[in-house]
Amino acid sequence: MLVVRLFCDQGISTSVLVTKMRKAAARQGKEVEIQAFPTFDMAKQLDGVDCALLGPQVGYLKNKMAALCAEKNVPLEVIPAEDYGAGDGEKVLAFAESLIKK
């Protein structure tokens, strides 16, 4: 099972993308657990996570959040703005999977 956490300012704007990612995974026959949270909850939400993604609007926090992720050995990256803006669940799911394979 792929476990992905998306983080944004309040965890609200990424919720739509989470739904689209789940639907993309279902179409592909993949078992996933994908959830969205506000950035201030990141430290509490990293246990057992395969990768963490930041919404582009909070990309400026990447260096600060990278330290939290490094402690848990969780890859972290900012979602590409064009995929986020388009709500492209398939591309963002593939992006998450590519981080895990590194």
Side-chain angles (χ1 to χ4, degrees):
M1 175 185 294
L2 175 67
V3 181
V4 180
R5 297 290 181 263
L6 279 66
F7 296 93
C8 68
D9 190 39
Q10 296 297 318
I12 298 168
S13 63
T14 52
S15 296
V16 173
L17 186 55
V18 164
T19 300
K20 291 183 177 188
M21 290 173 70
R22 288 176 182 161
K23 287 180 181 178
R27 283 192 301 271
Q28 297 172 26
K30 296 177 179 174
E31 191 175 341
V32 298
E33 179 189 318
I34 306 171
Q35 293 179 289
F37 295 96
T39 54
F40 62 80
D41 272 352
M42 183 180 271
K44 297 181 223 173
Q45 300 300 334
L46 293 175
D47 290 334
V49 173
D50 294 310
C51 78
L53 300 174
L54 290 174
Q57 70 275 30
V58 293
Y60 67 94
L61 295 172
K62 184 180 176 190
N63 289 339
K64 179 181 178 182
M65 299 297 157
L68 293 172
C69 289
E71 290 175 17
K72 301 279 185 169
N73 214 17
V74 174
L76 170 72
E77 195 52 70
V78 178
I79 300 168
E82 58 276 3
D83 297 338
Y84 186 88
D88 194 326
E90 288 191 29
K91 282 189 178 179
V92 178
L93 179 62
F95 180 67
E97 290 173 321
S98 74
L99 293 176
I100 296 163
K101 292 177 183 175
K102 287 184 179 179

